[in-house]
Amino acid sequence: NTIKFPDLYDAYRLYKRQLEFIAGNDEPKRWVLKCPAHLPFIENLLQVFPQAKIVWTHRDPAESLPSLSSMFRTFADMCEYSDINLYAIGSEQLLFWSAAVKKADQQLATCSANQVANVTFQNLLKDPIAVISDIYSSFGWSVSPEFKQNMIDYLDRNKNARSTIPPHLKQFHNYTLQEYGLDRAVVRRHMADYYARHLD
């Protein structure tokens, strides 16, 4: 099976109007918007937002796919009244995201070097300030001492806040590839080019 992604130019034009409405009469500022679903539509996004900078955070699909499958399982639970086919959800997510990252790589290859930054999820967790500084540098931006201190302060506050959460409330969302009919070997086989380009 192959995925044929639609042209979303008109949808991105509407998206821009919505953002302009939200911004209202605010002073111009840099927006940071997160949405993995943009990946197969980079061409349309840049047609409407030609000055956009793109940060692509790369996480092992063997970890992200069960998370995505779990999210779509929740959607299905809310909307369907019959038994949910978890293997079908896993297969659909693998097919969609395999095609999405391939198309994203093709479209991003046409962008200028200072328009796209690639970072790994692991590096972001390990040293977020260094990763953000590298992103700024690749875009030709500077990191002011004030901004760096703000990041340090935020991370300290976040760490302190998490330390006060009672242990019984620190329950993580658990999911596995296997419950969606997948395994690491299958994921690597379908996304071999992505692993080779960004993770291996």
Side-chain angles (χ1 to χ4, degrees), residues 27-153:
E27 291 293 321
K29 61 183 178 182
R30 185 177 299 139
W31 287 53
V32 180
L33 304 169
K34 175 186 174 183
C35 182
H38 289 308
L39 279 176
F41 308 108
I42 299 296
E43 181 179 6
N44 291 146
L45 185 151
L46 292 177
Q47 287 172 334
V48 178
F49 302 95
Q51 295 180 317
K53 304 289 189 180
I54 297 170
V55 179
W56 189 356
T57 304
H58 301 283
R59 184 181 181 188
D60 186 346
E63 297 175 1
S64 59
L65 280 172
S67 174
L68 287 160
S69 296
S70 178
M71 180 180 69
F72 280 92
R73 175 185 184 176
T74 300
F75 295 158
D77 284 337
M78 292 189 295
C79 302
E80 298 183 21
Y81 297 98
S82 58
D83 292 339
I84 306 301
N85 187 335
L86 300 186
Y87 281 25
I89 291 176
S91 177
E92 290 164 0
Q93 293 306 306
L94 178 59
L95 181 64
F96 178 89
W97 291 105
S98 296
V101 298
K102 182 176 182 179
K103 186 161 187 181
D105 268 325
Q106 292 170 346
Q107 295 179 340
L108 290 173
T110 66
C111 296
S112 59
N114 68 348
Q115 193 169 22
V116 181
N118 291 279
V119 303
T120 66
F121 183 67
Q122 289 301 321
N123 285 343
L124 183 61
L125 292 180
K126 184 168 59 178
D127 195 344
I129 293 177
V131 169
I132 292 172
S133 297
D134 287 344
I135 291 170
Y136 268 57
S137 177
S138 69
F139 291 159
W141 301 339
S142 60
V143 174
S144 68
E146 179 184 10
F147 178 41
K148 185 173 183 178
Q149 188 59 51
N150 286 342
M151 289 192 286
I152 293 171
D153 292 344

Side-chain angles (χ1 to χ4, degrees), residues 149-198:
Q149 188 59 51
N150 286 342
M151 289 192 286
I152 293 171
D153 292 344
Y154 168 80
L155 291 171
D156 286 342
R157 288 195 306 272
N158 185 265
K159 182 178 180 180
N160 292 334
R162 287 175 177 270
S163 69
T164 64
I165 300 175
H168 70 281
L169 295 179
K170 294 182 179 179
Q171 296 182 8
F172 292 94
H173 185 188
N174 295 316
Y175 39 73
T176 66
L177 280 169
Q178 287 69 29
E179 65 184 300
Y180 294 98
L182 303 173
D183 60 44
R184 185 172 289 273
V186 169
V187 173
R188 286 196 70 99
R189 185 166 66 250
H190 276 79
M191 306 185 75
D193 289 344
Y194 175 76
Y195 275 98
R197 184 184 294 267
H198 299 293

